[in-house]
Amino acid sequence: MSEHPSHPSTVVALRQQFVQRAALDAAALELALQQFESGPSSANEIESLRRTAHRLVGGLGMFGFAEASAEAEIFGELTTQADRNPDLIVRTGRGLSRTLRSLSL
């Protein structure tokens, strides 16, 4: 018999999986930011950054990382203005990447 999804051990396991995935997201975000920084970005690349940020906002918030969720939300909002201040997007994205790598259980 499997445990109910809200059982504490299930929640801990899901949070652990999320933290592990966050480390992968940090690496993918760094790569995407390098590409963004190296030249003109397509609308698809910018939309991918925005979708990643949106997914992180929800996951980080759900697992109790409220400050990191707010950071991801700011990053996502900045991607909607990619043509105005690309340096700010890169700096904010790198900060988010560092935050993701620093998450702990």
Side-chain angles (χ1 to χ4, degrees):
M1 182 173 178
S2 71
E3 294 177 345
H4 189 273
S6 64
H7 189 277
S9 65
T10 303
V11 173
V12 168
L14 290 172
R15 189 172 196 256
Q16 185 176 33
Q17 288 175 353
F18 178 81
V19 168
Q20 290 170 348
R21 176 159 179 184
L24 297 174
D25 287 335
L29 182 57
E30 280 293 331
L31 181 61
L33 289 168
Q34 286 174 1
Q35 292 171 343
F36 178 81
E37 192 174 34
S38 68
S41 297
S42 72
N44 287 341
E45 291 170 332
I46 294 168
E47 179 62 18
S48 178
L49 287 172
R50 192 200 62 74
R51 280 193 316 270
T52 297
H54 180 75
R55 183 178 48 75
L56 287 168
V57 168
L60 289 162
M62 183 170 58
F63 289 110
F65 300 106
E67 288 180 19
S69 178
E71 188 177 347
E73 185 171 12
I74 290 168
F75 175 70
E77 289 175 16
L78 288 172
T79 64
T80 66
Q81 305 167 19
D83 57 332
R84 293 188 196 158
N85 198 341
D87 292 338
L88 183 58
I89 291 172
V90 171
R91 286 194 315 271
T92 305
R94 290 212 168 109
L96 177 58
S97 178
R98 283 190 300 275
T99 298
L100 293 173
R101 287 192 308 269
S102 73
L103 294 180
S104 63
L105 302 172

